[in-house]
Amino acid sequence: MRRILILVSLLVICTAAAADTRKGYDAYTAGNYKAAVEEFRKSAQQGDALALFYLGESYYNGRGVVQDFAEGIKWYKQSAGKGQVEAQETLGGLYFFGKGIAQDYAEAAKWYAMAAKQGKAYPQYLLGYLYDQGKGVAQDQAQAAQWFRKSAEQNNADAQESLASLLFFGRGVQQDYTEAAKWYGKVAEQGRVYPQYLMGWMCDQGKGVQQDFAKAAEWYRKAADQNDARAQASLAFLYYSGKGVAQDEAEAVRWFQKAAAQNEASAYPSLAWAYYQGKGVVQDYAEAAKWFRKAAEGGDAQSNYMLGYLYEDGKGLAADGNEAAKWYKQAADAGVAEAIESLGALYFFGKGVTQDYTEAAKWYKVAAAKGGTYAQYLLGYLYEDGKGVTADPVQAMKWYGLAAEQGEPRAQSHLGWMLWEGKGVAQDAVQAHMWINLAASQLSGEEGERVGKVRDFIASKLSPDQLAKAQDLARDWQPKKK
């Protein structure tokens, strides 16, 4: 019926065929389908494209004749071949969706192209879709963009969203966030969820529009209220940071929970940290472990590390060194510096695993090379004592030196003693005193007292000039920046 109404204006053509077609239309709208078919048939015999289309409608829908898809399509094709745009659009749809005929995207593209060139918005959109997806035609996203734009300019919402997507991601066209925001804004205003989320993201990031966290929150909320998990997580981040909304950790957790309930992976780490730190929710290590695990299983490396940490310390989980090592290793393999160092410490101290200096040295080498000062110190210790590696005072001096220069007091203490004894380097009593003096100034308790006694012992062996120089060096010393 929709097509019949659209075509009423075409019935004013003053020809005999058109008169018969008009009679057919009047009969059709009155529900007298048999009479309508007879009138359409008369006009069709004279080659009237509109009557041919109506005959196709009658056979395809079984009105006034026995329903016959093949016969209907035959008449549609005759009409379409004469340039009748409704017939062209109808054939495009039948082939596109496989209604009454085998689905055939190439045929759909053929007929949609004819209708699209006559300015029909929906065929323009679907022709764009076929080019975008490479269905029935060679994939050509530049062509897709052209057809989407023609349809979008006629206010087809599907085309507006599709054009925005190409512009947003730079597929087939130059990436243009400003233009994308223009089209996404139109469909977002109509209540479409994904465009609402992306409008929020663009306002959040200042892409294509002026950065405006309050606007971002508005758009995120619209999409979140329609249960879009990405928008829920994004809105939660704004509440957590207090950007565009009053900071509210409890509200942030509420939205993170909604998003996580829909398996939105970006919410898992934040929800885990909320439970771990007790921010916006009662602190609960078991619940934190649950969400760190989900995040870790989804590939979040930092969550791998945190899960390992919880296993190591027995927080929210039964302490298990082997499980800690397993999760630390996954995080370490992903380059998380804390995990590399923690893995080294696990084997160095034998915490929940069999003590293994070789394995400890393996991981401390990686952490030390990345600038980890504590790892550098312990690697120096392993080389000094020959634990897990061949004893090598030169290597020990190297690693102690790197850690000491960054202010690690135990490394400073060991470095000073090796300089005093001349291990791996020429003896240097002044430098030895300087480093041990620096270490003693930072260490406390029994450890601090012990190192202080070593400092005083070395001082007793120095001349007044040497001691003054050593103290001057310690006073002027500044740690090196990483």
Side-chain angles (χ1 to χ4, degrees), residues 206-229:
K207 298 280 191 179
V209 295
Q210 185 174 353
Q211 190 173 49
D212 186 332
F213 294 121
K215 268 287 182 191
E218 287 179 22
W219 283 116
Y220 283 149
R221 188 180 299 279
K222 287 177 186 291
D225 286 341
Q226 294 194 67
N227 225 29
D228 184 275

Side-chain angles (χ1 to χ4, degrees), residues 379-381 383-384 392-401 418:
L379 186 57
Y381 170 83
Y383 274 113
E384 183 182 5
D392 187 335
V394 174
Q395 282 291 313
M397 284 289 294
K398 168 189 171 182
W399 294 111
Y400 280 150
M418 289 188 77

Side-chain angles (χ1 to χ4, degrees), residues 125-139:
Y125 159 64
L126 283 174
L127 184 59
Y129 169 84
L130 292 171
Y131 273 113
D132 187 16
Q133 301 297 313
K135 291 183 174 182
V137 291
Q139 188 175 43

Side-chain angles (χ1 to χ4, degrees), residues 42 142 208 304:
K42 290 178 188 176
N304 279 303

